Amino acid sequence: MLASRRFASRPLTSFLRRNSTAVEPPPAGGHLPSIATSQYLRSTRERALHTPGLQWNDEDDPNAILGAERETRKMNLYQAVRDALRRVELSFHLPSGSPTSSIALTKDDNAVVFGEDIAFGGVFRCTMGLAEEFGRERVFNTPLTEQGIAGFAIGMAGMGHTAIAEIQFADYIYPAFDQLVNEAAKIRYRSGGSFNVGGLTIRTPTMSVGHGGLYHSQSPEGFFMGASGLKIVIPRSPLQAKGLLLSSIRDPNPVIFMEPKILYRSAVEQVPMDDFTLPLGRAETLVSGTDLTVLSWGTPIYHCETALGMLANPPAGIAPHVPESLRKAKIELIDLRSILPWDAETVAESVKRTGRLVIVHEAGMTAGVGAEIAAEVQKRCFLKLAAPVKRVTGWDTPVALQYEKFYIPDAVRILDAIVETLSY
Amino acid sequence: MASLARFRASRRLPQLVRAIQTSADTTQLQEKPADLSQPLTLRLSEDSFHTFNCDMPELDVQVTKNQLLDMYKKMTTMRRMEMAADALYKAKLIRGFCHLAIGQEAVSVGLEEGITSEDRVITSYRCHPLAVLRGGTIKGVIAELLGRQAGMSHGKGGSMHIFTPSFFGGNGIVGAQVPLGAGIAFTQKYLGSDSATFALYGDGASNQGQVFEAFNMAKLWDLPCVFVCENNKYGMGTSAERSSSNTAYYTRGDKIPGLQVNGMDIVATLQAVRYARDWTVKEKKGPLLLEFVTYRYGGHSMSDPGTTYRTREEVQRMRSTQDPIRGLQRYIEEWGLATEQELKQLDKEAKAAVDEAVEEAKKSPEPLVEDLWTDIYYKGTEPPFMRGREREEVHHY
């Protein structure tokens, strides 16, 4: 198993194995062609500072530079995750009584980061340099022991510690399933509120990379959806990852934070350097529209973007399948961001206006997160629906290595679903 | 099968070491001071302990008369409480699952006697005595079993889910509490607290993979964690020999030293706990494995009569010859610390205290319907709503 883990530490592009008959090099953006030019990534400082829902956490710090002068830096997703972890760790080093101690109060002097290989930076480099900066007693490697890691983290969090554990791949979270569902999710309830593990955050890379195969490309968020007491968060971009991760760490409930692994390097945007959070449990509307709602989270957001572009301006080969009358349709795109609890209000409000919903996720269709959303939406919006809720998902098979490209709901399948739903 | 049975029998034949003895009548009085507020010196039998990569604890034990009487009272009270739970369950007042620790009192009471309120304890579902001893109340435990508001988890948990500030609860999943114990011990070490965690599990749980994961982490990082295997000889209905390739549970920690202890003699359990606490807290030698060899008189849970996988004679023999409470009673009487009448008076007080607690617990109302929806998420961070049983039953926060 170790050998298979190792490959991920190398650049993603070096693993793109195309059909053996192909000779040209793999595409620069991997299997995610739209990411380099995505409009949803905030490429300027101004746009980054005006992110909806962004909450600064240093407003009462006399030394902080506020307002339009705030600094941002170009980061990819793993750098943004690392920056968030640094933010949490850094606070420990603020001497109490210093002018900045007011922030220190709201921050955490007990945050510990641990997981398999994370002291060396982790396979995706999210924890690079943290051990050197903050010490091996706060940033350390664990054995290959997922159930042990989860249980150990729950024990720490039960003592009031801030435990930020990494499960190296979401595909390896199943040995920890019992600990997360039976211990972490239920301990507040079963102790009548006298115990909790609110300081627990489990970070784990999720979704496909284009070549991960059965055990490195799964999306297990749906398996946790019935575990009331847990929260599940999946960011779509570096800025979102930093803000949502800081919220997850500080949230007084246990949170599973799933980071789409293909975005670690390929998603790049301007990210504010200061301490900020984004709200949990709130979806974000990326594009407003009136004719159809597309709902997704994580990697497929960018496939949706491509599909929306193809609908308005279909390439020649696809154009015959996209009726002229549909090309001007105004599509609303929503990033769900929090899977549990999920923002039913925003989604239902949107579908009531558009009358049509297409849900896109990478996990298989049967009992995936889309099933729950579709059921709730048809209940809330029954009389407003103009077409059945459509789900574009992975197939109900394992994520098979050579077929991964076909497993992932890509832009063409999303476009097809949009056309079918619009012309229902 | 016949050949298999023969094979097993032949494997058991070469007894290289003497088995740990589990009777509570081998401790000798060495020295009795004239002033009984001063500690007595007792001497344990050498067969009270087996060691694995560590030295034997001192066989001379210092303990006061008051301590002995207090432990006697606690053991009696705990047994009374468990008997009351048994009766309430059979009267169908307690629902759900219920695992009683009758016969194993020397472990919980001896453990509590040897540790401080700074130490942390986490155990399996057989948790009622520890919940009381670690700062809870009998009323709180019985009310929890009955599912009443006065329960220590406000009636929302039940038998396996009882907590106090220094007791991380009963835990219903076999073995799941053990890695939590390692995490708790990590925080104690991180905070520089002079305390240890005692993570208890049974002989059945000792075969769970995560127990070994926790051992490894605890030794790797030298955590002040004492792994306590309560070996009551049966994991549910399977005897230790039929479930474990190595039934010497104290040797299963690999690099973690271990100590096997006569878990039926409370003087031995107390001495072992003191030894383990010194090992982890004073000497900072990392984790230690303690195995208490004990016996449960009842079934695994209330739905198990406890006689299909062992003979009635075996249970009867343990009860009559190796009972931890009767053993301590004999010591106290033989050493002239209290008379039979005085001990009977303690028995009566224990029964009265339990009866009163049961009556009070019964009077407590069931949890409010609204509380079905609380304590799932931290107050104020809940999802906007949660569904109930039917379409109309939706709770909005």
Side-chain angles (χ1 to χ4, degrees):
Chain A
M1 193 135 105
L2 196 63
S4 67
R5 292 168 193 238
R6 289 278 175 239
F7 83 89
S9 63
R10 289 157 57 188
L12 291 172
T13 46
S14 69
F15 288 93
L16 294 173
R17 294 273 179 274
R18 306 191 101 200
N19 190 312
S20 58
T21 56
V23 287
E24 71 270 34
H31 290 290
L32 204 52
S34 68
I35 189 91
T37 55
S38 174
Q39 291 304 302
Y40 309 149
L41 293 169
R42 295 176 178 263
S43 52
T44 66
R45 200 171 67 93
E46 286 65 37
R47 284 189 66 208
L49 294 181
H50 289 97
T51 300
L54 186 149
Q55 173 88 41
W56 300 105
N57 288 328
D58 55 2
E59 303 275 65
D60 53 352
D61 176 2
N63 295 340
I65 300 164
L66 307 177
E69 299 302 308
R70 284 183 187 276
E71 197 190 338
T72 65
R73 196 172 293 170
K74 195 172 164 185
M75 291 185 201
N76 63 25
L77 198 141
Y78 84 68
Q79 290 163 330
V81 166
R82 181 181 175 280
D83 194 50
L85 295 173
R86 262 193 97 235
R87 262 307 132 199
V88 175
E89 293 279 331
L90 258 183
S91 50
F92 183 65
H93 290 262
L94 292 173
S96 61
S98 75
T100 50
S101 63
S102 56
I103 336 174
L105 284 177
T106 64
K107 291 176 182 170
D108 200 328
D109 59 357
N110 262 332
V112 173
V113 177
F114 54 95
E116 296 160 11
D117 280 356
I118 64 102
F120 318 131
V123 292
F124 292 106
R125 308 189 180 186
C126 295
T127 49
M128 192 91 91
L130 294 183
E132 289 76 7
E133 191 172 355
F134 300 106
R136 295 259 167 180
E137 69 279 8
R138 303 193 63 200
V139 181
F140 55 89
N141 289 337
T142 63
L144 305 188
T145 170
E146 286 77 15
Q147 189 173 20
I149 292 170
F152 181 80
I154 292 165
M156 283 175 66
M159 286 285 277
H161 229 112
T162 299
I164 307 169
E166 178 180 294
I167 299 293
Q168 196 171 56
F169 281 85
D171 311 64
Y172 310 159
I173 210 165
Y174 306 112
F177 195 75
D178 170 64
Q179 285 287 353
L180 294 173
V181 172
N182 269 328
E183 306 292 328
K186 296 185 177 69
I187 192 160
R188 190 188 299 276
Y189 193 86
R190 71 194 190 86
S191 67
S194 57
F195 269 77
N196 74 84
V197 291
L200 173 69
T201 307
I202 302 272
R203 291 180 42 249
T204 186
T206 188
M207 299 193 178
S208 66
V209 286
H211 54 264
L214 292 111
Y215 294 141
H216 294 85
S217 281
Q218 295 177 60
S219 305
E221 67 267 21
F223 291 116
F224 293 96
M225 205 176 183
S228 293
L230 289 181
K231 292 191 175 184
I232 308 166
V233 179
I234 304 181
R236 69 167 186 278
S237 76
L239 189 152
Q240 296 285 318
K242 179 174 172 182
L244 290 171
L245 180 55
L246 283 171
S247 290
S248 299
I249 292 167
R250 290 165 186 164
D251 190 271
N253 304 288
V255 180
I256 302 179
F257 190 81
M258 297 182 168
E259 300 160 2
K261 61 177 91 74
I262 199 171
L263 302 181
Y264 275 132
R265 291 158 169 280
S266 56
V268 178
E269 69 183 335
Q270 292 288 332
V271 179
M273 294 303 291
D274 294 327
D275 191 329
F276 70 92
T277 52
L278 291 167
L280 302 187
R282 295 265 187 289
E284 183 184 352
T285 305
L286 298 179
V287 185
S288 296
T290 50
D291 298 325
L292 181 144
T293 304
V294 176
L295 175 66
S296 190
W297 52 91
T299 314
I301 288 283
Y302 301 98
H303 300 307
C304 294
E305 183 179 24
T306 309
L308 263 53
M310 288 163 102
L311 177 71
N313 196 4
I318 292 177
H321 306 287
V322 183
E324 286 283 352
S325 58
L326 301 182
R327 295 184 190 177
K328 293 260 182 303
K330 291 196 166 21
I331 310 293
E332 182 148 308
L333 177 60
I334 299 177
D335 177 4
L336 192 61
R337 301 197 291 192
S338 286
I339 308 301
L340 182 69
W342 66 283
D343 189 352
E345 304 296 327
T346 298
V347 176
E349 184 278 326
S350 170
V351 177
K352 279 178 189 160
R353 278 189 288 105
T354 64
R356 292 175 163 89
L357 176 63
V358 173
I359 304 167
V360 185
H361 61 64
E362 280 198 14
M365 181 178 286
T366 302
V369 172
E372 169 64 26
I373 294 173
E376 184 66 21
V377 165
Q378 69 85 24
K379 190 194 88 181
R380 290 190 183 214
C381 312
F382 189 64
L383 295 175
K384 304 275 189 184
L385 282 174
V389 176
K390 182 90 180 164
R391 287 177 282 162
V392 186
T393 66
W395 310 113
D396 281 345
T397 65
V399 188
L401 181 63
Q402 293 294 5
Y403 308 102
E404 192 162 320
K405 188 172 179 309
F406 308 112
Y407 181 91
I408 300 164
D410 62 6
V412 175
R413 275 170 64 195
I414 297 167
L415 174 67
D416 184 53
I418 291 173
V419 168
E420 188 186 316
T421 305
L422 280 173
S423 49
Y424 181 81
Chain B
M1 280 310 283
S3 63
L4 194 65
R6 233 185 356 260
F7 175 63
R8 268 208 308 272
S10 69
R11 269 181 60 186
R12 235 182 273 154
L13 275 178
Q15 292 258 333
L16 294 176
V17 282
R18 272 190 296 174
I20 194 102
Q21 59 96 3
T22 53
S23 54
D25 58 1
T26 56
T27 301
Q28 302 293 325
L29 178 66
Q30 286 286 98
E31 201 184 317
K32 183 177 170 186
D35 174 7
L36 279 176
S37 69
Q38 296 302 310
L40 298 84
T41 304
L42 312 176
R43 186 162 183 86
L44 289 164
S45 150
E46 275 189 21
D47 291 336
S48 303
F49 303 114
H50 282 161
T51 63
F52 173 68
N53 295 340
C54 64
D55 294 331
M56 174 96 62
E58 281 287 320
L59 294 176
D60 283 345
V61 184
Q62 305 280 319
V63 60
T64 64
K65 170 195 162 188
N66 279 349
Q67 271 181 303
L68 289 169
L69 288 178
D70 184 50
M71 290 192 291
Y72 176 85
K73 184 164 185 188
K74 281 178 177 159
M75 284 207 284
T76 310
T77 312
M78 288 306 99
R79 181 166 296 182
R80 277 282 166 202
M81 178 180 77
E82 294 288 63
M83 285 162 65
D86 182 84
L88 288 167
Y89 192 95
K90 286 172 180 157
K92 295 192 167 56
L93 286 165
I94 293 174
R95 311 302 298 269
F97 289 82
C98 186
H99 307 80
L100 304 178
I102 297 175
Q104 302 180 209
E105 293 88 352
V107 175
S108 52
V109 175
L111 175 70
E112 178 57 26
E113 191 66 28
I115 62 179
T116 73
S117 59
E118 285 303 297
D119 294 314
R120 295 289 182 271
V121 177
I122 184 165
T123 188
S124 69
Y125 36 78
R126 211 175 298 287
C127 68
H128 310 157
L130 277 167
V132 177
L133 296 167
R134 287 261 87 196
T137 60
I138 299 169
K139 178 187 166 189
V141 167
I142 295 287
E144 191 58 42
L145 301 189
L146 292 166
R148 307 297 173 95
Q149 282 180 32
M152 285 160 68
S153 296
H154 313 308
K156 297 178 72 167
S159 163
M160 306 185 277
H161 313 281
I162 317 180
F163 303 77
T164 76
S166 66
F167 177 58
F168 278 71
N171 286 271
I173 306 298
V174 173
Q177 73 279 10
V178 182
L180 269 69
I184 296 165
F186 175 87
T187 298
Q188 288 176 318
K189 184 173 178 176
Y190 187 96
L191 298 175
S193 148
D194 274 336
S195 56
T197 297
F198 289 74
L200 285 78
Y201 57 97
D203 49 300
S206 68
N207 295 321
Q208 285 279 348
Q210 56 182 331
V211 172
F212 294 91
E213 298 186 26
F215 285 173
N216 179 51
M217 287 192 281
K219 186 60 192 169
L220 186 65
W221 300 321
D222 270 340
L223 305 178
C225 189
V226 182
F227 297 102
V228 183
C229 177
E230 264 186 283
N231 175 6
N232 63 20
K233 304 202 177 89
Y234 296 91
M236 297 195 285
T238 303
S239 67
E241 290 76 19
R242 288 200 291 148
S243 72
S244 303
S245 62
N246 175 6
T247 55
Y249 295 103
Y250 66 111
T251 66
R252 293 178 81 168
D254 191 8
K255 288 200 164 184
I256 303 178
L259 185 67
Q260 191 184 40
V261 185
N262 172 2
M264 297 305 256
D265 185 341
I266 194 157
V267 183
T269 63
L270 171 62
Q271 183 70 346
V273 170
R274 284 173 173 170
Y275 176 88
R277 197 171 185 285
D278 284 352
W279 178 282
T280 46
V281 180
K282 278 203 188 136
E283 298 155 24
K284 301 197 189 304
K285 290 202 271 195
L288 183 73
L289 233 157
L290 276 189
E291 177 193 347
F292 290 117
V293 182
T294 179
Y295 198 80
R296 97 172 119 69
Y297 295 165
H300 165 73
S301 71
M302 294 306 297
S303 53
D304 166 23
T307 48
T308 51
Y309 46 87
R310 54 184 187 180
T311 60
R312 284 177 197 282
E313 290 70 38
E314 178 186 309
V315 182
Q316 208 38 255
R317 182 164 44 78
M318 293 300 288
R319 283 194 97 116
S320 57
T321 65
Q322 314 204 340
D323 185 78
I325 301 180
R326 295 287 72 82
L328 180 57
Q329 179 192 354
R330 263 198 304 277
Y331 291 155
I332 290 172
E333 289 174 13
E334 272 176 24
W335 301 336
L337 304 176
T339 62
E340 194 182 347
Q341 271 61 42
E342 286 167 319
L343 292 182
K344 282 222 168 98
Q345 184 57 33
L346 290 182
D347 291 349
K348 268 188 200 154
E349 287 169 24
K351 183 173 184 305
V354 170
D355 288 349
E356 191 190 338
V358 168
E359 285 317 307
E360 281 180 29
K362 277 189 194 165
K363 281 188 203 130
S364 174
E366 290 180 0
L368 301 172
V369 173
E370 296 92 274
D371 278 337
L372 176 62
W373 313 99
T374 58
D375 297 325
I376 299 171
Y377 291 95
Y378 181 72
K379 204 171 167 52
T381 68
E382 302 96 344
F385 69 94
M386 286 194 121
R387 293 191 193 124
R389 294 161 299 184
E390 52 196 57
R391 205 169 57 171
E392 292 76 22
E393 194 177 62
V394 176
H395 181 79
H396 292 270
Y397 287 99

